[in-house]
Amino acid sequence: MKVLVVGSGAREHAAAQVCARSGHEVLCTPGNPGIAQVAEVIHWPQDNAALVTLAQERGAELVIIGPEAYLAQGLADDLQAAGIPTFGPSRAAAQIESDKAWSKAFMVRHGVPTAAHQSFETLEAALAYLDTQPLPTVIKDAGLRAGKGVTIAQTREEARAALHAIFEQQNAAVVIEEFMTGQEVSVLALTDGERFALTPPSQDHKTIGEGDTGPMTGGMGVICPFPVSAEDLETIRREVIERTLAGLRAEGIVFCGVLYAGLMLTPQGPKVVEFNARFGDPEAEAVLPLLESDLAAHALAAAQGQLNPADVRWRDEASAVIILAAPGYPGTPQKGIPLHLPQPAEGEYIFHAGTAEQGGQLVSSGGRVLAVTATAAELPAALAQAYALAGRVGFEGGQLRRDIGGRIGLRPSPLGQPQEQP
Ligand code: GLY
């Protein structure tokens, strides 16, 4: 099958890689130098009309959309209208991620367990409500902010500063919600809107600092599978995924693609922290290498409303992802730093997130630069192997967290920062 992957990050690299591994011809736009090793990368305008034309001209039999921004701009709607099978939800369905206030109200309407919250469209109302809330409290920008729109405020000053920053933007809205305690877990559902197959649960590490400190990022590392009890998994399946898909259908919305539930395993059971409308990043880099069956076949079946969950098979293995980020991230990342990559062994992957080529040299071009993944029979071995591989990357000033897996007692990495010299 000819598959067009849309996007340019490590998630799309992982998706392109598994599609190529299954023998498909993979095209990708806008792509990156890593994706170019497994797919034909096409430099092309990224507006909806141009992407529909590209899919038509190149005879794509399936389009897989990676990033949320394309979903929010209605790319899936336009591709489907042109008769092109598309794995990625419509703009209406993607509201579950792109409009956090809508998403929260949806969860309340359909009894999906989530944190107590209130949404506001003015700074004054948000500030007044804040004064009534216990600390810490969670401030969420209601729009798309690449994972960086959330502040867990320990003080009122911090919370007020976050609110002021959000309302400096035009048409801003905010969700203020209860701070939940427990382990965080990501469960992704591949779905045609009705039937679904769950990925193995995984755990992302969202702050830049070790010990879960510092500002939020898009995600700094993942372990998979994250241990979730059978009871909690059943709750997630029934009360979160099934209820959400049914609620969407009841509102006339069929969600085709990946429904990402970011959950807190609270003492009262699993509750939704956030929904995303796509593969998580870096969760995709952990989960997709464990997929034994054919992603493109599942995506096509889902696009045709015929997903058979029994066809979706996962290796009984574990994986770990270590993100290497540029100096300055999650603020302004330093670009143009030379990267020297080791050769990954069997079961190891270096997915490119923010890389470019300058005069034949691979360099950093974004905040998160590389997602270094290893798979192994057991999680501790996968983690050790991913850290060992990350430690062999030449990336001067590259940042990584050395405590991925630490929340469930896995030993922090004995390795230091990535090597400064190749
Ligand atoms: N890893 C969190 C996200 O993809 O939004």
Side-chain angles (χ1 to χ4, degrees):
M1 184 188 333
K2 193 183 277 193
V3 183
L4 173 62
V5 175
V6 177
S8 63
R11 164 185 46 209
E12 291 75 37
H13 189 174
Q17 199 271 342
V18 297
C19 288
R21 186 183 66 190
S22 296
H24 300 292
E25 181 183 348
V26 187
L27 316 175
C28 182
T29 187
N32 68 35
I35 297 174
Q37 293 167 10
V38 295
E40 181 189 346
V41 164
I42 303 168
H43 302 288
W44 197 262
Q46 296 293 299
D47 60 277
N48 290 3
L51 291 167
V52 170
T53 302
L54 175 64
Q56 286 170 328
E57 280 184 3
R58 295 302 302 265
E61 292 157 279
L62 169 71
V63 179
I64 297 177
I65 303 173
E68 56 274 24
Y70 293 91
L71 301 168
Q73 77 192 32
L75 177 58
D77 307 68
D78 290 355
L79 287 163
Q80 275 157 5
I84 300 160
T86 301
F87 189 64
S90 64
R91 186 186 349 226
Q95 277 183 104
I96 203 144
E97 170 171 10
S98 62
D99 184 343
K100 301 221 172 336
W102 184 90
S103 181
K104 279 290 195 178
F106 171 88
M107 287 184 241
V108 172
R109 281 200 295 283
H110 295 282
V112 177
T114 188
H117 69 280
Q118 291 281 337
S119 302
F120 300 95
E121 291 182 1
T122 68
L123 176 62
E124 294 67 32
L127 287 170
Y129 178 75
L130 173 65
D131 285 341
T132 68
Q133 291 306 293
L135 294 169
T137 190
V138 181
I139 311 287
K140 287 185 176 172
D141 189 324
L144 290 177
R145 297 287 172 258
K148 292 180 273 183
V150 178
T151 302
I152 298 171
Q154 303 292 340
T155 66
R156 277 186 212 289
E157 290 64 41
E158 215 183 324
R160 284 192 197 105
L163 289 175
H164 278 279
I166 291 170
F167 281 102
E168 270 165 20
Q169 307 162 107
Q170 285 193 331
N171 302 323
V174 74
V175 177
I176 301 179
E177 75 179 31
E178 165 200 19
F179 175 72
M180 296 188 285
T181 54
Q183 292 277 357
E184 231 180 311
V185 62
S186 306
V187 177
L188 284 53
L190 279 58
T191 181
D192 60 9
E194 188 169 356
R195 290 157 289 267
F196 63 89
L198 298 184
T199 64
S202 59
Q203 185 174 61
D204 189 9
H205 296 65
K206 294 209 173 86
T207 63
I208 189 74
E210 287 161 16
D212 298 321
T213 55
M216 290 290 197
T217 71
M220 290 298 291
V222 175
I223 52 170
C224 179
F226 179 83
V228 177
S229 70
E231 187 189 350
D232 279 350
L233 208 50
E234 190 51 25
T235 305
I236 293 166
R237 177 179 284 281
R238 274 187 301 103
E239 296 184 15
V240 176
I241 304 295
E242 267 179 23
R243 224 174 252 185
T244 298
L245 294 175
L248 286 167
R249 288 198 308 276
E251 298 192 13
I253 298 170
V254 176
F255 187 110
C256 168
V258 177
L259 178 65
Y260 166 130
L263 302 142
M264 191 70 83
L265 302 179
T266 76
Q268 296 80 40
K271 291 188 184 179
V272 175
V273 177
E274 63 174 359
F275 277 121
N276 291 322
R278 39 131 188 122
F279 278 117
D281 189 349
E283 287 92 335
E285 297 95 282
V287 159
L288 288 175
L290 297 179
L291 183 64
E292 195 169 57
S293 48
D294 181 344
L295 175 66
H298 305 321
L300 181 63
Q304 295 169 335
Q306 293 172 353
L307 180 71
N308 180 3
D311 290 344
V312 182
R313 296 185 312 280
W314 304 96
R315 284 179 226 286
D316 187 17
E317 289 181 7
S319 62
V321 180
I322 308 301
I323 294 292
L324 299 184
Y329 180 75
T332 306
Q334 202 178 319
K335 297 183 181 169
I337 302 173
L339 303 168
H340 301 276
L341 307 190
Q343 185 60 40
E346 180 74 24
E348 296 180 348
Y349 309 85
I350 300 179
F351 296 118
H352 292 220
T355 70
E357 258 171 25
Q358 270 177 12
Q361 170 67 54
L362 189 69
V363 297
S364 66
S365 67
R368 291 186 296 170
V369 176
L370 298 166
V372 179
T373 297
T375 62
E378 303 291 342
L379 194 45
L383 200 52
Q385 211 174 322
Y387 270 117
L389 185 58
R392 286 166 49 217
V393 172
F395 180 12
E396 194 170 337
Q399 309 184 65
L400 57 71
R401 273 183 65 163
R402 285 166 292 184
D403 65 343
I404 304 304
R407 278 188 228 142
I408 57 166
L410 293 175
R411 208 160 52 89
S413 158
L415 299 174
Q417 295 292 322
Q419 294 168 9
E420 301 222 333
Q421 298 300 324

